[in-house]
Amino acid sequence: MFANREKDSQASQDKDQPRRRQARGERRIAQLLEAAATVFTTTGYTAASTNAIAREAGVSPGTLYQFFPNKEAIAIELGDRLMHEMRETYGEALGPVDPATTLEQAVGQAVDRFIAFNCEHPVFFALMHGPDIPGRIAEEHDALHATLLSRIEGLLSSFLPDADPADLTRTTHMCLGLYKAGLELVLAHEGAERDAYVGELKNALTRYLDPLVGARLGHITAH
Amino acid sequence: MFANREKDSQASQDKDQPRRRQARGERRIAQLLEAAATVFTTTGYTAASTNAIAREAGVSPGTLYQFFPNKEAIAIELGDRLMHEMRETYGEALGPVDPATTLEQAVGQAVDRFIAFNCEHPVFFALMHGPDIPGRIAEEHDALHATLLSRIEGLLSSFLPDADPADLTRTTHMCLGLYKAGLELVLAHEGAERDAYVGELKNALTRYLDPLVGARLGHITAH
Amino acid sequence: MFANREKDSQASQDKDQPRRRQARGERRIAQLLEAAATVFTTTGYTAASTNAIAREAGVSPGTLYQFFPNKEAIAIELGDRLMHEMRETYGEALGPVDPATTLEQAVGQAVDRFIAFNCEHPVFFALMHGPDIPGRIAEEHDALHATLLSRIEGLLSSFLPDADPADLTRTTHMCLGLYKAGLELVLAHEGAERDAYVGELKNALTRYLDPLVGARLGHITAH
Amino acid sequence: MFANREKDSQASQDKDQPRRRQARGERRIAQLLEAAATVFTTTGYTAASTNAIAREAGVSPGTLYQFFPNKEAIAIELGDRLMHEMRETYGEALGPVDPATTLEQAVGQAVDRFIAFNCEHPVFFALMHGPDIPGRIAEEHDALHATLLSRIEGLLSSFLPDADPADLTRTTHMCLGLYKAGLELVLAHEGAERDAYVGELKNALTRYLDPLVGARLGHITAH
DNA sequence: GATGAATGAGGATTCATTCAT
DNA sequence: TATGAATGAATCCTCATTCAT
């Protein structure tokens, strides 16, 4: 499911006993995370039970708890790997390397990637689920959230280099909010309708950001 | 908590025997709904248990089930009353009566009301919670959702009288999505920061809608 | 449903206040018993709830308990009235007045009546249900049971005038057992198959009893 | 309580790791079934609760549900094992191998076995309980019922080789009905009285069946 | 590591019965 | 009488987590 993070796993073979064990552990973990992804996607995070995950993974509950102290930890690790995967796929920066990129292009690309990533890793949606209680993001989704925020902030800061940090943070949060709201709608539809929602999401983000991006070339009102 | 929906309750007092009984029941229902609102707000809808609601209301579980067949029904009734209250407070239409109202003003007023309503009825947030699985809105939140959508659609259609119905629907969904996303952020902050988020939400909505509102006077680019 | 047992209810009209009340009470009781019959028949005695009975009767649970101390009492009263009705319909004796009646005829008639009675009062089956634990007939079915036993014993004793009392009792119990077993099968089928089971039940009873009825004219082996 | 159905459990001991675990589970299952048998016997099937069974077995409710999804499943498994035990004890056929066996002998032996089996497994009675509503045998008792019917049919068909299938089925059902009715009476008494009822049951069955068994040697009227 | 058995508190829901009005 | 609200223990069942093997 995810790129192998232990690049060095084939490196030395001197201590193969513990190594094999670790390898086995890694496999188990991957297996469990994959199962968790399936279950989270199918039933939603809250409704997912550790027993169901273990069953889906074809292992016993006890085994699951040998690798994860609780459900939360599974979600966290899953989120971590997801973010790792995202970084591996799209690089560290979400944003444009080319300074000539217009906001429209940047947003378009970011949204497209965001959607594509979700389609490949549908669990992403389940893990990003907003808090049940405003302001209290569950710890298990926190890291994911933070990573996304920092990626978005990275992108934004290239367009808003002079923005006040507080404003930037706020804008970032708004963007993530719009993203999530749009994603929900996109995933709820299919075919042409889905595409239309993708377009709307891009519009919403572009238009929201455009007035803020006055100082930069290629900003939309320059058309 | 809610406006009395039995307008005729003071009308005739000849049959006060059955009346009094219903009154006690009505009081209990109100009490239970208030308790449910508290619990939903505190723990979120999913995590809320009927026993917890009964406990909060100071009654036994059995009493709760005398009035509501299950948690879902409580949420639905709560949503109904909330929508009723909203209609009573702000009138049937969300939108502007005065055709001279600018989009900015309309959105500003709508958002302000939306936020204010939420602050007075914090459970609103819990009941509006997006689905755990994309596209599968829980039945209990459906009616609330539909009502909100139709209110928003009403507002939008006065600004976009010529829009294609499918487009209008999509725009409506987008607006509700932005609303919800913004609301989450607003509620997560306080004081000046909250106000700032309110402003951002207004911006996001206005800017999203503005280009769609070409034919109307007062449209933002007319400035 | 049942013949009015208070023959004297129209007799004097001097104290009509309490009389009316009693009349009303009788109506309520009849109404409740009818509802109970419906519920017992539909769901079985054990699964029937007093609330369901009250609902079926269109009254409140409290009202039910004004007339019956508990579910058991309802069953008992229902059984009583059923037995009363049976006596009114078929007379005190189940058995043959005419000494020339053959056993076959007597059994045939008794079974036919038994079945017919059941079809008209389907709750009979529910009330006759055997004990869940051998030997411990529920109190609520006890009287019904006893009445049936005595009716059967009456019939049998006319055919077995010289039988040892203990034997007679045993035979009586056996007959009731066969009756009940057969009834279950009869009711479980329809049309021709039902008729066939009725025939089988008659056969089983006749053949079981025939050898015991040596001394009497018309005994089956005399053919 | 029951014969070990895992014949191969002593076979190989190479993989005793998984074996031991299964063994513990098997023990628990046996223990739970035994507890269920006790509770069913004591309170009747309907009144028995899963919690009561767990309590009787000295385990927590959760443990019970690790092995059985619900009460029904317990009853079914219990019935299965009972039938298995019956087959092991009395062989596949209920009936006479020796063609010279008279109906009387065959019925006598079958009844004796039936009663004996019940005395050793008193839960049998609880599981055979007739339906609360005619014709609607609970699923949990269905298999038991079917097995008994097929055993009886096997016995009968050796005596009634030329019978019409529909007649045979009907006769079979009648016999099981008589059996059950008689069993109830037998179990409700003790000592000499019980024996007397056993005799009556044999009589009832023999006499019921005798006329049907015309073509066979040893048929009762041939005496 | 792996298993699967075990836990027990907590979930929703029901029901016979009582009580205030 | 009649109502229907109220009770609370008991129902079945689930689940995160732990433990012996």
Side-chain angles (χ1 to χ4, degrees), chain D residues 15 25 29 41 43-44 55 57 96 101 121 125-126 147 153 189 202 204 215:
Chain D
K15 295 174 190 172
I29 287 173
T41 304
T43 70
R55 216 178 305 129
T101 317
H121 307 289
F125 180 83
T147 304
E153 187 162 322
H189 294 88
K202 288 178 185 172

Side-chain angles (χ1 to χ4, degrees), chain A residues 6 27 56 68 71 76 108 130 141 147 160 165 193 203 218:
Chain A
E6 274 190 84
R27 247 179 289 130
E56 173 75 27
F68 301 100
K71 193 165 83 161
I76 291 173
H141 304 156
T147 304
L160 309 165
E193 195 61 17
N203 287 340

Side-chain angles (χ1 to χ4, degrees), chain D residues 4-14 19:
Chain D
N4 189 350
R5 297 166 80 186
E6 269 186 274
K7 303 269 166 72
D8 54 333
S9 60
Q10 293 89 8
S12 58
Q13 302 202 340
D14 41 9
R19 193 66 56 160

